[in-house]
Amino acid sequence: MQFVIIGGDAAGMSAASRARRNLKDLKIIVLEKTFDVSYSACGMPYNIADPDRGIDDLVVREAHIFREKQGIDLRTGYCVEKIEPKEKVVIGHDPNGKEFIIPYDKLLIATGATAIVPNIPGFNSDRILKLKNLADGRKIKRYMKENDVRQAVIVGMGYIALEMCEALQKRGIQVSMIKPRSVFLPGFNAELSKIVKDEVSRHDVNIHLGQNIERIESIGDAAFRIICEKAIFDCQMVLVAAGIMPNSALAADAGLDLGPKESIAVGKDLLTSDANIFSAGDCSDAYHIVTGEKTWNPLALWANRAGYAVADNLAGKGIRLDGVAGTAVFKVFDLQVARTGLNKQEALDNGFDPVEVVIKSRTKAHAHPGSDAIYVHMIGDRKTGRILGTQMVGYDGAAHRINSVAVALHQKMTVQSYSQCDMAYSPPFGPVWDPTLTAANQLLKKL
Amino acid sequence: MQFVIIGGDAAGMSAASRARRNLKDLKIIVLEKTFDVSYSACGMPYNIADPDRGIDDLVVREAHIFREKQGIDLRTGYCVEKIEPKEKVVIGHDPNGKEFIIPYDKLLIATGATAIVPNIPGFNSDRILKLKNLADGRKIKRYMKENDVRQAVIVGMGYIALEMCEALQKRGIQVSMIKPRSVFLPGFNAELSKIVKDEVSRHDVNIHLGQNIERIESIGDAAFRIICEKAIFDCQMVLVAAGIMPNSALAADAGLDLGPKESIAVGKDLLTSDANIFSAGDCSDAYHIVTGEKTWNPLALWANRAGYAVADNLAGKGIRLDGVAGTAVFKVFDLQVARTGLNKQEALDNGFDPVEVVIKSRTKAHAHPGSDAIYVHMIGDRKTGRILGTQMVGYDGAAHRINSVAVALHQKMTVQSYSQCDMAYSPPFGPVWDPTLTAANQLLKKL
């Protein structure tokens, strides 16, 4: 049997490695259009923050190891341009520009996602930077080495934008962040969002909300003028971090069904609408465990988990993935910002009757030195009493605490049941009542 | 109605405060035998570590606030010596040595626990220190101020002993720890236990296992000689931290049923075998949510939770507490040591068929600076696939991660279901797969 994988990052290489462990005689071909495989994409902002670290630090396993130790036919620089589901072949060009036609018995589309570049004059330029793959990160590091960047503008304010704002600020660059919309962290509770915004501002980052960009002009070798409706920004570096979109064009052209945000629709077995084609990772969709509906969740854990599940299903193990809770965390300066489940609008959109609380707690026990604030926003459903989602912002302990609520969401736990959970307490790690328990206790009174 | 509470710490004062909020006209009398109420007992080792902090830092709410703002008749120095369940009175002596007889409609026994002092010559002395209540902590601080303590011996190696060993070491004292048993952390997985032992040794603390103490001799004003079967230790300070036992004599004398370790037996409604007497906190027992059997779990969260539940049930709210998972965490030097659920022996004793793994993971993502080790020991049941318990030791992230597993235990989740949970990932906070997920994935292969 020949197993062909398009895309050699998290989902693709997880599937390839596990497929080899499962099936010793399987012929595995991975076609990766760049020259990088298996790297920690999420680590790029932290790598960029440190001029002394090479970007290749982030490579988890080098290509030759997959080839030599695992017998995986990994081909980099191979760009697939077409899938023919009836003929069961993929067609494209190799690094020498020569066309290839490769047959498959089973195919995995793990093409990932692409940074969205706004359709605004000046953005579509090689000199405007973005950060999605390792080549982007390499380019940013080179750019910063070769140019005297004193001011940078980041277009967008999502988690990559915020992580990059910290990275650039740490390198002594004056950062301005611009976005057209007026809300700082859409989807986040306003009180929590304000705390994050204050933290960013406190580090001398300029935040410009509601700025419609009209065009970017090049005003020198490494100098740009960003002309907005209401302001003009001059800088030596522009980074676009205005969101990502799934790379689903190949799948769409092959007639496969698409899901939310035009991601590739897959079942709990990771099969697309074609019984011989799997899809996994940032390019495909998932079930949301709170709503039971499809969602698009382009995050690393899901990509890895889905990649493994594809390989297991290829070996007939019959794995069905429950889905995602939308659990995520990012760090911005000294703050941890975490979420899981639905926000209030999503709860309303899915027919729930959301009731919410925001509580303030502490990162350490009463009178313990070095205690700081942690805020928890929890949403419950008035009809069923279920927890629907939680957001957390704190100087410590938000990143791991969110997982307790994620487990509760997977179990469709009520706020009442959650409030009874026996959690760990010791003064250096938090108050007697874990902040998520305090939130549950308060929410219970309102339900 | 007159609600009388014996004991003014976590459970007692939680019950008193909540009872006042629930019932404005209730007559509430709290009888506390010491002169301290409502303090963070668990914070004492950290307070003792710092000679500049006063021990009264740890008082959460002062007595006069309960009296003046909440109208609670809080009487300190009131020692109850007898409960007469038929007459519904408690009898004892006030601080002036005068007998009191106080009638109750409902009674709460929240008498806590007492440090065990070994029945060995020399231990039963005022100069031998222990650490259970605030008076003990105050005495230790005074002792250290008034005496030139260069060497200290701690008898016992439980979590209080280990927290105190860190506290004393931070004050420049050479600490030796002695215990008769040969196992360092009984109940902990041997591999994890060794990591903790190495961490303690690394800080120049002497660990002496299997040392039977024959007697302690006073060899000067503040100088002791501890004579063991195989060795002799000279020091200027002796701390006994050899475990605690429930203060249940009052209840036993009143004919109430007792549970494990002679703790006071209570139902899920916190009622004892007498329908007018509740018990809560370190003196009483609880259901274990994994086994469904009774256990004794003298920890702060449960004491607070049980105190609140008593007050709610007094107001007719019909609260039933599910029970405890045995979730606990302590810090020793740079390590976080956490557990929830059953250990292997407990699993066997309760008729499970335990299968276990120990995995080593990292506290940060691949290539992220400052990453350190974290170890997870997870036990599953071969028959049902359920998670039975987890232990964790790590330089970061063990304290809060244990709670995810605690939630899973409350839900009787299988290892398979847990392994599917959508958890947060960002490089500064851990690897893509949360260490508890890695443990679940590995355990799944063995089940």
Side-chain angles (χ1 to χ4, degrees):
Chain A
M1 185 158 81
Q2 180 144 303
F3 179 39
V4 174
I5 299 170
I6 311 175
D9 199 7
M13 295 321 295
S14 295
S17 289
R18 169 90 45 116
R20 170 56 69 235
R21 276 200 295 279
N22 286 340
L23 302 162
K24 298 284 168 258
D25 300 325
L26 185 70
K27 170 85 179 144
I28 305 171
I29 301 173
V30 179
L31 307 169
E32 165 57 41
K33 72 176 176 181
T34 74
F35 291 87
D36 302 300
V37 293
S38 183
Y39 55 89
S40 170
C42 305
M44 289 195 288
Y46 306 95
N47 184 291
I48 290 166
D50 180 355
D52 297 330
R53 275 178 70 191
I55 197 89
D56 292 311
D57 255 19
L58 296 170
V59 174
V60 178
R61 202 180 300 174
E62 289 174 44
H64 71 91
I65 297 179
F66 289 104
R67 291 185 190 117
E68 292 155 21
K69 301 227 163 145
Q70 297 189 274
I72 292 166
D73 182 357
L74 169 56
R75 306 182 191 180
T76 56
Y78 273 65
C79 184
V80 175
E81 282 135 20
K82 201 171 185 198
I83 302 166
E84 298 274 15
K86 278 182 195 154
E87 289 76 21
K88 293 174 73 178
V89 295
V90 297
I91 302 165
H93 284 85
D94 74 11
N96 301 315
K98 204 179 143 210
E99 191 184 66
F100 61 79
I101 301 176
I102 298 171
Y104 63 82
D105 296 297
K106 297 287 176 184
L107 179 68
L108 167 61
I109 306 176
T111 44
T114 300
I116 294 171
V117 177
N119 188 17
I120 292 171
F123 270 101
N124 192 12
S125 151
D126 254 7
R127 314 233 59 185
I128 305 297
L129 302 166
K130 54 192 167 54
L131 184 65
K132 185 66 187 78
N133 61 33
L134 202 63
D136 296 332
R138 201 175 278 123
K139 187 170 165 183
I140 290 174
K141 291 205 94 159
R142 201 187 318 117
Y143 186 92
M144 292 177 74
K145 196 172 176 181
E146 289 171 358
N147 296 290
D148 178 24
V149 179
R150 285 156 287 122
Q151 288 123 0
V153 168
I154 298 176
V155 179
M157 291 186 204
Y159 73 94
I160 292 174
L162 289 166
E163 288 171 349
M164 280 303 295
C165 122
E166 179 183 344
L168 298 182
Q169 196 264 7
K170 287 212 165 139
R171 290 189 60 167
I173 296 168
Q174 172 65 55
V175 181
S176 296
M177 303 184 83
I178 303 178
K179 70 183 246 185
R181 283 203 284 174
S182 60
V183 182
F184 178 64
L185 280 181
F188 259 78
N189 167 271
E191 201 173 327
L192 270 60
S193 174
K194 186 179 180 310
I195 294 158
V196 182
K197 187 166 173 243
D198 289 348
E199 173 78 4
V200 175
S201 297
R202 194 166 73 79
H203 286 85
D204 294 326
V205 171
N206 302 316
I207 297 173
H208 301 275
L209 296 163
Q211 281 289 0
N212 277 308
I213 302 172
E214 291 181 344
R215 65 185 185 280
I216 301 184
E217 289 177 359
S218 180
I219 56 170
D221 213 22
F224 306 91
R225 177 160 294 163
I226 301 182
I227 295 153
C228 301
E229 219 177 332
K230 292 175 272 182
I232 288 173
F233 301 88
D234 283 0
C235 62
Q236 296 81 43
M237 174 173 170
V238 182
L239 178 76
V240 180
I244 59 173
M245 57 186 183
N247 291 330
S248 57
L250 271 181
D253 291 347
L256 302 183
D257 291 350
L258 298 186
K261 307 270 170 89
E262 308 216 306
S263 57
I264 303 168
V266 292
K268 291 188 174 182
D269 54 4
L270 286 315
L271 273 174
T272 65
S273 51
D274 182 306
N276 296 309
I277 306 179
F278 294 95
S279 182
D282 289 0
C283 58
S284 55
D285 69 3
Y287 284 93
H288 197 294
I289 52 118
V290 178
T291 64
E293 302 293 325
K294 283 296 191 75
T295 186
W296 184 51
N297 182 73
L299 292 172
L301 174 61
W302 181 248
N304 279 270
R305 179 176 272 149
Y308 286 143
V310 167
D312 285 344
N313 286 335
L314 203 67
K317 294 194 184 180
I319 302 289
R320 300 288 176 273
L321 293 186
D322 298 336
V324 297
T327 315
V329 63
F330 66 90
K331 175 182 173 295
V332 56
F333 297 106
D334 298 326
L335 272 187
Q336 304 184 2
V337 186
R339 63 164 288 179
T340 190
L342 308 182
N343 62 34
K344 193 177 176 187
Q345 190 56 51
E346 290 165 339
L348 288 167
D349 291 347
N350 282 281
F352 293 106
D353 184 359
V355 181
E356 55 183 337
V357 288
V358 175
I359 66 104
K360 181 181 179 181
S361 184
R362 290 187 306 268
T363 60
K364 294 176 190 295
H366 171 81
H368 201 88
S371 189
D372 238 317
I374 183 166
Y375 298 82
V376 183
H377 171 241
M378 189 177 275
I379 303 181
D381 180 34
R382 197 186 304 274
K383 280 175 281 193
T384 60
R386 271 174 66 189
I387 305 180
L388 298 176
T390 292
Q391 301 177 348
M392 239 182 277
V393 169
Y395 289 92
D396 192 24
H400 302 140
R401 281 193 171 99
I402 200 73
N403 292 339
S404 308
V405 185
V407 173
L409 293 178
H410 275 269
Q411 291 291 112
K412 303 194 176 2
M413 265 177 110
T414 61
V415 179
Q416 157 71 28
S417 289
Y418 188 82
S419 76
Q420 290 227 9
C421 286
D422 186 22
M423 295 196 176
Y425 162 60
S426 178
F429 308 126
V432 175
W433 293 86
D434 187 86
T436 65
L437 291 178
T438 301
N441 286 337
Q442 295 303 318
L443 185 53
L444 210 47
K445 292 182 190 168
K446 296 176 79 174
L447 277 169
Chain B
M1 186 159 79
Q2 180 144 302
F3 179 40
V4 174
I5 300 171
I6 311 174
D9 198 8
M13 296 319 297
S14 295
S17 290
R18 169 90 45 116
R20 170 57 67 234
R21 276 200 295 279
N22 285 341
L23 301 163
K24 298 283 168 259
D25 299 325
L26 185 69
K27 171 83 180 143
I28 305 171
I29 302 174
V30 179
L31 306 169
E32 165 57 41
K33 71 175 176 180
T34 75
F35 291 87
D36 301 301
V37 293
S38 185
Y39 54 89
S40 170
C42 305
M44 289 195 289
Y46 306 96
N47 183 291
I48 291 166
D50 181 354
D52 297 330
R53 275 178 70 194
I55 197 87
D56 292 310
D57 255 20
L58 297 170
V59 173
V60 178
R61 203 179 300 173
E62 288 174 46
H64 71 91
I65 298 180
F66 288 105
R67 292 187 190 115
E68 291 156 22
K69 302 228 163 142
Q70 296 189 276
I72 291 165
D73 183 357
L74 169 55
R75 307 183 192 179
T76 55
Y78 273 66
C79 183
V80 176
E81 282 135 21
K82 200 171 185 196
I83 302 167
E84 297 274 16
K86 279 183 196 155
E87 288 75 23
K88 295 174 74 178
V89 295
V90 296
I91 302 165
H93 284 85
D94 74 11
N96 301 315
K98 206 181 140 207
E99 191 185 66
F100 62 77
I101 300 176
I102 299 171
Y104 63 81
D105 294 298
K106 297 287 176 184
L107 178 68
L108 166 60
I109 306 175
T111 42
T114 300
I116 293 172
V117 177
N119 188 17
I120 292 171
F123 269 102
N124 192 12
S125 151
D126 254 9
R127 314 232 59 182
I128 304 298
L129 302 166
K130 54 192 169 53
L131 185 66
K132 183 67 185 80
N133 61 33
L134 202 63
D136 296 332
R138 200 175 281 125
K139 187 170 163 183
I140 290 175
K141 292 204 93 158
R142 201 186 321 119
Y143 186 92
M144 293 176 74
K145 197 173 176 182
E146 290 172 359
N147 297 289
D148 178 25
V149 179
R150 284 156 286 125
Q151 288 125 358
V153 168
I154 298 176
V155 178
M157 292 186 201
Y159 73 95
I160 292 175
L162 289 165
E163 288 171 350
M164 278 304 295
C165 122
E166 180 183 344
L168 298 182
Q169 196 264 5
K170 288 211 165 138
R171 291 190 59 168
I173 295 168
Q174 172 66 54
V175 181
S176 297
M177 304 185 82
I178 303 178
K179 72 183 245 187
R181 283 204 283 177
S182 60
V183 182
F184 179 64
L185 281 180
F188 258 78
N189 168 272
E191 202 172 323
L192 270 61
S193 175
K194 186 178 180 312
I195 294 158
V196 181
K197 187 166 172 243
D198 289 348
E199 173 77 4
V200 175
S201 297
R202 195 166 72 79
H203 286 84
D204 294 325
V205 171
N206 302 316
I207 297 173
H208 301 277
L209 296 163
Q211 282 287 1
N212 276 307
I213 303 172
E214 292 183 343
R215 66 183 184 280
I216 302 183
E217 290 177 0
S218 179
I219 55 170
D221 213 23
F224 306 90
R225 178 161 291 162
I226 301 182
I227 296 152
C228 300
E229 219 176 336
K230 292 175 273 181
I232 288 172
F233 301 88
D234 282 359
C235 63
Q236 297 80 44
M237 175 174 168
V238 182
L239 178 76
V240 179
I244 58 173
M245 57 186 183
N247 291 331
S248 57
L250 271 181
D253 290 347
L256 301 182
D257 291 350
L258 298 185
K261 308 268 170 90
E262 308 216 306
S263 57
I264 303 168
V266 293
K268 291 187 175 183
D269 53 5
L270 286 314
L271 271 175
T272 65
S273 50
D274 182 307
N276 295 310
I277 307 179
F278 293 95
S279 182
D282 290 0
C283 57
S284 55
D285 70 2
Y287 284 94
H288 197 293
I289 51 119
V290 178
T291 64
E293 302 292 325
K294 282 296 190 74
T295 186
W296 183 50
N297 182 72
L299 292 172
L301 174 61
W302 180 248
N304 279 271
R305 179 177 274 147
Y308 286 141
V310 167
D312 286 345
N313 285 336
L314 202 67
K317 295 194 184 180
I319 302 290
R320 299 290 174 271
L321 294 186
D322 297 337
V324 297
T327 315
V329 64
F330 66 91
K331 174 181 174 296
V332 57
F333 297 106
D334 297 327
L335 272 188
Q336 305 183 1
V337 186
R339 62 164 290 177
T340 189
L342 308 181
N343 63 34
K344 194 177 174 187
Q345 191 56 50
E346 290 166 339
L348 287 167
D349 292 347
N350 282 280
F352 294 105
D353 183 1
V355 181
E356 56 183 338
V357 286
V358 175
I359 66 104
K360 182 182 178 180
S361 184
R362 290 187 307 267
T363 60
K364 294 176 189 294
H366 172 81
H368 201 89
S371 188
D372 238 317
I374 183 167
Y375 298 82
V376 184
H377 170 241
M378 189 176 275
I379 304 180
D381 180 34
R382 196 187 304 275
K383 280 175 281 192
T384 60
R386 271 174 67 189
I387 306 181
L388 299 177
T390 292
Q391 301 178 348
M392 238 182 277
V393 169
Y395 288 92
D396 192 23
H400 301 140
R401 280 191 171 101
I402 200 73
N403 292 339
S404 308
V405 185
V407 173
L409 292 179
H410 274 270
Q411 291 290 300
K412 301 194 173 10
M413 266 177 109
T414 62
V415 180
Q416 158 71 29
S417 290
Y418 187 83
S419 77
Q420 291 226 7
C421 285
D422 187 21
M423 294 195 177
Y425 162 61
S426 179
F429 308 126
V432 175
W433 293 85
D434 186 86
T436 65
L437 291 177
T438 301
N441 287 337
Q442 293 304 316
L443 185 53
L444 210 47
K445 292 180 189 169
K446 296 176 80 176
L447 277 170

